[in-house]
């Protein structure tokens, strides 16, 4: 059956969904408990939530996103923490502490974007009537979905009016309240797409549409005499508010969402059967008011289906029932909705709230259940496959677009659109953004990109990616073909899948965007040659085994070259001939550097310092330290920005380590620190101090020291790299370390604000602009893990120029061949980075060695490539 309905499965997975009912997300650090992702229970009842079928189901669903195996549940604190599957979402250990710690380290933007990208949600309609601790405003949700609309909760608006200071005293009447309520509602009518009522929670759904004004006024008076803040519970006042709002909705052509069926414990389920709404539905005044029964009205799904079949104004939304019920419950509920109700009236929503995971789980399970139900309907002969595909489009997208009057042009979604009037305007994306550059950095350290028109990107590519040959990760700096021995050929293809949290507008080209790509061998499964996935993999080991993350801050050194034409010959010569920290050098390039700084800032990249360097036309821009996985991405963006703006000014910026063999070289020095629970654990203390480092810091650095010759094959990966790494050039030519020793390849640093007897980070000098930053950092982390595992110790520091100790110190590899030989024999890096990827890197390095040994003049071609 699965093979027969594969086209149906694809349709459910690929449709860009409209989430027609959801709630605000919260910031990290909110008091709202993360366990509420999986249950509507509160207080003591929440402790039993992990024992429910829906909880266990939800956990397994999250694992699918990351493709990790399920493990046995862990008992802790009196309740089952069945977290292995949800931990797979973050690729961390299956304990609540680890999950929440990783969520905090990764950040809401990253987690949210991954969840929403996997959920494939194009529009969210948010009921912001629930006041969560530290909840995001509506605008902030546009970072995760192209379009966000507001659903106004009528009880919340009424309570806001009643609780206002101006609304007090006996002079207030029902008429004055009604006037104020209608005025407030009209004032925001052009900012909302629907109204919503939670009358079911207060007095039930047996609404009296003919409640008298006298009874309603009496209800208002009783509310006013109660304590503040008011929470409306009087049935007469609620019925009056409900019918008044329906009348307004008719005049404004706004649908009204109504909570029906199950919910929180303060709800009387007996009063939440939608059949209680018959009197309202029969009232001619509201015959044209489109009413949406939320939550599949569970356990009254059959009743809801009946109402939708006999009343033209009734629509159904199955959010909350999916994913909160068990698989059997979800399937049965959806089947019951579809037994009588027209498919054109049934809609998807996640009822997501507080955490991005709730949106992902709601969308993932909805797709699975809809496929299950519709394929069964095809099997039974109720639907043809084509009719089922149409039903998928209706349920997940078209029905909501039509009901809530959402305007989508040519199926494209503009990710920066806003609510305009009573419609969500989604004008063509290509009026604003033309192209999106999908960027990757190959194993030779070169930046490459595929460019997709923005309309296609936001409709298809953002979720499916683009194809790329296996050979792309075997290419060298001199040839666009795989190196011999790389084991990569033109046979086979991966997917470059955009990592949407990294999407930025190009500051120098406002009609383009760029986004980093993950390499996936199949949906959700990282390719073993993917540099970004490799770095994530080793940092996961560091976190799982030692509860530590690594932060990185890069110093970008680069040369500016200007064009000179002499006797018809074009040459690129140094931008100036000034020296280190020259004021005139900075002044001469100030306009360029100002534009670079502003562009980096616009891209979310924090610059800490910038100055002229010692080489001719050489400058440095130092970036703030951040989580190493993010730092590697931002380094690539920084290089792109610097090179592009230089090009805009008619210059060439190159990060090549040694473009002029008679001048100084350029590095990409990286400062590294270790963190646990927002505390720097590389830094020593009064009780734990080895030359300013903690025991953890020393062991990690000792691992880096021990493997440094092998690491150089990743951080100094080009023959030209070793023209730079020479004694007495502040590049680190000898195997040693020292505190504030800029001639040592490993320097521990004590920046301003750190006690003089301590150090806060260490710097690696032998890292340059030919390195793939993800692979370079991965090699460093792998070495540090070995140091921690084996409790390695550092030798005594070198406190003077290492050249003065040349008879005792070992030189680091003096050429790429020597570092390749070290890497070939390094079993630890093979194991942690991956034998196949290391083999490919070695093959590329050997090809570079052979080519540039035979063609030394080819070096001049590289200033455009690095």
């Amino acid at each position: 059956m699965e093979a027969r309905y594969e086209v149906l499965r694809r349709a459910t997975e690929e449709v860009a969904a409209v989430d027609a009912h959801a709630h605000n997300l919260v910031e990290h650090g909110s008091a709202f408990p993360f366990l509420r992702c999986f249950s509507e229970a509160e207080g003591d009842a929440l402790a039993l939530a992990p024992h429910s079928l829906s909880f266990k189901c939800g956990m397994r669903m999250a694992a699918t996103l990351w493709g990790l195996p399920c493990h046995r549940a862990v008992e802790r604190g009196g309740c089952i923490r069945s977290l292995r599957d949800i931990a797979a979402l973050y690729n961390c250990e299956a304990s609540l502490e680890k999950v929440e710690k990783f969520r905090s380290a990764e950040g809401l933007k990253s987690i949210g974007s991954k969840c929403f990208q996997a959920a494939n949600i194009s529009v969210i309609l948010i009921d912001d009537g629930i006041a969560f601790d530290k909840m995001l405003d509506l605008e902030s949700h546009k970072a995760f979905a192209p379009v966000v609309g507001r659903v106004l909760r009528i009880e919340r608006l009424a309570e806001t009016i009643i609780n206002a200071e101006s609304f007090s005293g006996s002079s207030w009447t029902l008429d004055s309240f009604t006037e104020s309520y209608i005025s407030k509602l009209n004032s925001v009518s052009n900012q909302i797409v629907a109204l919503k009522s939670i009358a079911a929670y207060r007095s039930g759904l047996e609404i009296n549409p003919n409640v008298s004004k006298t009874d309603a006024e009496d209800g208002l008076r009783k509310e006013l005499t109660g304590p503040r803040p008011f929470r409306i519970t009087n049935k007469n006042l609620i019925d009056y508010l409900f019918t008044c709002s329906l009348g307004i909705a008719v005049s404004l052509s706004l649908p009204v969402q109504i909570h029906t069926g199950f919910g929180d414990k303060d709800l009387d389920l007996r009063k939440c059967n939608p059949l209680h709404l018959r009197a309202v539905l029969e009232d001619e005044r509201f015959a044209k008011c489109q009413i949406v029964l939320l939550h599949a009205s569970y356990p009254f799904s059959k009743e809801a289906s009946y109402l939708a079949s006999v009343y033209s104004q009734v629509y159904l939304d199955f959010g909350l029932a999916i994913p909160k019920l068990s698989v059997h419950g979800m399937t049965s509920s959806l089947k019951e909705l579809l037994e009588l109700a027209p498919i054109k009236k049934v809609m998807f929503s996640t009822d997501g709230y507080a955490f991005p995971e709730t949106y992902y789980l709601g969308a993932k399970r909805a797709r699975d259940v809809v496929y299950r139900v519709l394929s069964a309907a095809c099997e039974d002969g109720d639907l043809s496959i084509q009719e089922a595909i149409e039903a998928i489009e209706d349920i997940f997208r078209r029905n909501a677009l039509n009901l809530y009057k959402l305007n989508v042009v040519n199926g494209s979604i503009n990710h920066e659109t806003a609510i305009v009037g009573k419609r969500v305007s989604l004008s063509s994306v290509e009026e604003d953004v033309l192209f999106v550059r999908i960027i990757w950095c190959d194993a030779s350290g070169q930046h490459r990109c595929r460019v997709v028109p923005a309309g296609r990107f936001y409709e298809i590519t953002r979720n499916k990616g683009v194809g790329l040959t296996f050979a792309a990760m075997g290419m060298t700096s001199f040839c666009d073909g795989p190196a011999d021995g790389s084991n990569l050929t033109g046979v086979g293809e991966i997917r470059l899948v955009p990592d949407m949290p990294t999407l930025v507008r190009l500051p120098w080209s406002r009609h383009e965007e760029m986004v980093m790509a993950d390499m996936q061998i199949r949906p959700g499964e990282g390719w073993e040659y993917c540099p970004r996935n490799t770095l994530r993999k080793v940092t996961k080991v560091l976190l799982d085994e030692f509860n530590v993350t690594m932060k990185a801050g890069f110093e970008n050194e680069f040369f500016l070259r200007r064009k000179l034409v002499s006797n018809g010959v074009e040459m690129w010569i140094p931008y100036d001939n000034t020296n280190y920290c020259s004021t005139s050098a900075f002044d001469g390039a100030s306009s360029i550097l100002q534009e670079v700084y502003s562009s980096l800032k616009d891209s979310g990249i924090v610059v800490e310092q910038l100055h002229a360097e010692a080489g001719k036309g050489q400058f440095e821009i130092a970036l703030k330290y951040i989580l190493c996985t993010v730092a590697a991405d931002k380094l690539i963006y920084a290089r792109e920005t610097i090179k592009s703006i230089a090009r805009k000014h008619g210059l060439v910026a190159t990060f090549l380590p040694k473009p002029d063999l008679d001048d100084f070289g350029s590095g990409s020095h990286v400062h590294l620190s270790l963190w646990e629970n927002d505390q720097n654990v590389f830094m020593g203390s009064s009780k734990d101090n080895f030359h300013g480092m903690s025991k953890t810091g020393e062991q990690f650095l000792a691992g880096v020291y021990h493997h440094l010759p092998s690491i150089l094959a990743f951080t100094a990966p080009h023959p030209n790299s070793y023209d730079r790494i020479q004694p007495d050039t502040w590049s680190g030519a000898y195997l040693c370390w020292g505190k504030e020793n800029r001639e040592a390849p490993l320097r521990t640093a004590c920046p301003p604000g750190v006690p003089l007897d301590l150090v806060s980070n260490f710097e690696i000098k032998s890292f340059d602009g030919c390195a793939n930053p993800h692979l370079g950092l991965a090699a460093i982390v792998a070495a540090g893990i070995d140091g921690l595992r084996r409790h390695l110790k550092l030798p005594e520091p070198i406190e003077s120029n290492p050249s003065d100790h040349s008879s005792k110190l070992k030189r680091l590899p003096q050429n790429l061949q020597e570092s390749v030989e070290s890497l070939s024999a390094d079993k630890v890096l093979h194991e942690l980075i991956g034998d196949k990827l290391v083999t490919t890197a070695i093959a590329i390095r050997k090809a570079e060695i052979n080519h540039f040994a035979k063609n030394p003049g080819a070096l001049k071609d590289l200033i455009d490539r690095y």
Side-chain angles (χ1 to χ4, degrees), residues 686-699:
S686 58
K687 297 180 181 179
D688 183 14
N689 190 329
F690 176 80
H691 294 282
M693 290 174 278
S694 67
K695 184 177 180 180
T696 296
E698 181 200 358
Q699 292 178 358

Side-chain angles (χ1 to χ4, degrees), residues 398-416:
R398 275 198 296 252
N399 294 346
L401 292 176
N402 293 333
L403 179 66
Y404 297 104
K405 303 176 181 64
L406 308 177
N407 179 27
V408 179
V409 177
N410 297 326
S412 298
I413 297 294
N414 182 345
H415 68 292
E416 292 192 347

Side-chain angles (χ1 to χ4, degrees), residues 82-129:
S82 182
L83 288 174
R84 176 62 67 178
D85 296 334
I86 192 65
L89 187 62
Y90 307 114
N91 206 13
C92 68
E93 183 182 317
S95 72
L96 188 60
E97 294 87 349
K98 291 286 187 180
V99 167
E100 294 189 319
K101 185 176 296 181
F102 195 85
R103 291 181 88 251
S104 179
E106 190 74 4
L108 177 62
K109 182 178 179 181
S110 175
I111 290 170
S113 294
K114 288 183 184 298
C115 287
F116 279 93
Q117 183 179 355
N120 193 9
I121 293 173
S122 61
V123 179
I124 315 173
L125 305 185
I126 293 180
D127 162 23
D128 58 356

